[in-house]
Structure formats: structure tokens, C-alpha cells
Amino acid sequence: MFIELKHDEFTSIKTFFNENKYQVPALAVINGSFPGKVFVDNKDKPEIALVWAFSRWSYISCKELLPKHKSFISSIFNSKIIPIIKTVGEKQFEIYADNDIEWDSILNESLSEYQLCKHHENTFVLNKEKFKTFTSYLKVPKDIEICENSYPIISKEYRQYVSHNEFEKKVFGMTIKKNDNILSQCVNNGFIYGNNYFIDLDTFDTEERNKGYGTFISYNLICNQLKKGLLPLWETTVNNLPSQRVANKLGFEKVDEYPVYSITCY
């Protein structure tokens, strides 16, 4: 039904995931910079590949989508993915696919015993000239403290499923504090391939949103990472307008839109 590749075999399926920016997390796993698993239908001549980036993200691609691939998908989820995410308590699992409408029927039939929902997401790339322009009118919030931190690349629940070296990896992030309370946090989440990486942004207290904290800490993280030669990617759902507004302010431009299938009951 499927074969799980060893780490030194991951690069054999790199060509399945090298056309779109939203697939950078899959390439991060393939390249060994992010913990995960890789599955194929045939080790010598793979026709379909699924990359699982711990914890809840997977990326699927094939040369030609065919009915026979339903058993490939079903067997991976039933024997590998679902048992693990149930054990660690993952509440949602996502499958990123391209815009071939045939994925709707293939995935729904393959995973018919689970609740599968579909939404669309966008990826944005940074226009550095627009980013420089934004700098000139950036407003600095008052009475704040900016802190640099490192965070585990994956949560401790996945420790038993990765090597020691993978589990010990850290990612870089920055926070805004006020009166010792963290208002907003921005992180290079470890999905790195080439000189691209994905940003994670959170403003934790809803009462502190729309005050510029998220924009300001994102700006500081981007500046830090640009000095290291890293270019940010921004991802959000198509209906998350607040996130898109922050991205637009900073100079990000949309490059991809794609379906994401979420499993929420298993």
C-alpha cells in the first residue's frame, strides 16, 4: 500500500514539492531541517508522495491523480498518522493539496470514516521595497519591551517519534512585553528551505489586538532574519482579513491560493 522512507531517502521525492511556496514545509522535512515522515507508493518509481511535518501538517502531491491512490492515502492515515495524533492529543490535522478538483473526491472517499472539511489558504512573499517604505512610517508602541527567545521546533508530545537531534532543535522568535505580560509573539517556525521561512504571529489577549503590536513585532523579526539572509513567507486563510491586513502593511504580496483539508474528528 505504502512505503515509509528513511531520512537518507527523503530527497528522492523533492521534485513533487518544488513548484509552490506553500510547499516549503514539505521541503523543510525532505531537506532535514524540520522533523517529519515521508511516505510513497513505490520507492524506485514513486507516483504519489505524502510528507508529514510534525505536528498537524501534511503535504500530498502526485504525478497523476488516480483512483488507486485512495488505498495509499487510507492506509497511511489509518495505520500511521491517526494512531499517533490520537495518542498525542492533536485536535486537528491538515492535508495541503494543489488545486486539482479531483482531490475532493479522492480524499473524501479515502477518509470517509472521518469528518473532512475544506478551506482555502494563501501564501504571501515579502516585497522588500515595500517593506523598506513601510519602515519610514512605522509607529513604535509605548512602554514595551522587545525580547528574543528560542522555542522547541515541535511539542514534547512528539519526542518518542523523532530522533534526539531532531527533538532538540530550536526556532527563533521575538515577543513584545508590557508590565511582564507577553502581548504578541512572532516566530520563525522552522519551516525553512533555501532562504525562505514561514512566520507565525500571535497576539494572545483579544483586548490587545488592533493596537499595532503584531505588526511591530513581525517587523522586528523580519529585520532580524533579513540580516541572516532569510526571506519570510506569510500564510493565512482566505477569510482571515486581520492577518492579511498586517501582511499587506509590511509589504507582503499574495503568490499562492490552495485548498487545505482538515480532519477534526477521529
Side-chain angles (χ1 to χ4, degrees), residues 23-39:
Q23 295 173 323
V24 161
L27 291 166
V29 173
I30 292 168
N31 206 43
S33 59
F34 197 94
K37 292 178 177 289
V38 175
F39 306 97

Side-chain angles (χ1 to χ4, degrees), residues 50 64 157 181 207 227 233 254:
L50 185 144
E64 181 183 3
E157 289 79 9
N181 294 319
E207 294 182 0
K227 292 175 182 177
L233 300 172
K254 176 180 170 180

Side-chain angles (χ1 to χ4, degrees), residues 30-205:
I30 292 168
N31 206 43
S33 59
F34 197 94
K37 292 178 177 289
V38 175
F39 306 97
V40 296
D41 59 331
N42 184 295
K43 185 184 295 188
D44 298 321
K45 293 182 179 180
E47 296 180 3
I48 186 169
L50 185 144
V51 176
W52 177 10
F54 292 151
S55 56
R56 62 179 176 87
W57 305 278
S58 68
Y59 299 79
I60 193 165
S61 182
C62 64
K63 294 181 178 178
E64 181 183 3
L65 193 54
L66 299 170
K68 67 178 182 179
H69 294 143
K70 288 185 286 188
S71 62
F72 169 82
I73 297 167
S74 177
S75 58
I76 291 172
F77 275 84
N78 287 322
S79 65
K80 287 288 184 178
I81 294 177
I82 297 297
I84 292 177
I85 61 176
K86 288 176 70 174
T87 299
V88 302
E90 202 70 62
K91 301 301 183 185
Q92 178 177 305
F93 191 84
E94 295 183 334
I95 308 165
Y96 286 66
D98 60 33
N99 281 303
D100 188 336
I101 193 64
E102 291 300 316
W103 281 115
D104 284 2
S105 59
I106 292 290
L107 288 172
N108 275 287
E109 291 175 32
S110 303
L111 304 170
S112 58
E113 62 266 55
Y114 308 109
Q115 182 175 325
L116 193 66
C117 301
K118 179 184 177 183
H119 66 276
H120 283 80
E121 297 193 7
N122 296 329
T123 294
F124 301 79
V125 299
L126 185 69
N127 181 317
K128 289 198 287 187
E129 292 304 315
K130 288 185 178 180
F131 182 71
K132 291 177 183 177
T133 301
F134 170 76
T135 303
S136 63
Y137 58 89
L138 177 67
K139 294 182 180 179
V140 180
K142 296 180 179 180
D143 303 321
I144 61 162
E145 178 186 3
I146 299 174
C147 304
E148 296 183 0
N149 298 286
S150 63
Y151 306 89
I153 196 167
I154 56 173
S155 62
K156 62 182 180 180
E157 289 79 9
Y158 286 88
R159 179 190 293 270
Q160 62 181 302
Y161 304 108
V162 300
S163 68
H164 175 76
N165 289 339
E166 287 181 300
F167 182 77
E168 292 300 318
K169 288 181 178 179
K170 305 289 185 182
V171 296
F172 176 80
M174 304 181 79
T175 59
I176 286 180
K177 287 185 177 182
K178 190 173 185 178
N179 299 325
D180 291 327
N181 294 319
I182 296 177
L183 301 179
S184 192
Q185 174 179 290
C186 191
V187 177
N188 173 341
N189 67 10
F191 286 148
I192 303 171
Y193 181 72
N195 64 347
N196 284 133
Y197 69 96
F198 270 99
I199 281 178
D200 274 351
L201 171 65
D202 290 294
T203 298
F204 301 103
D205 188 340

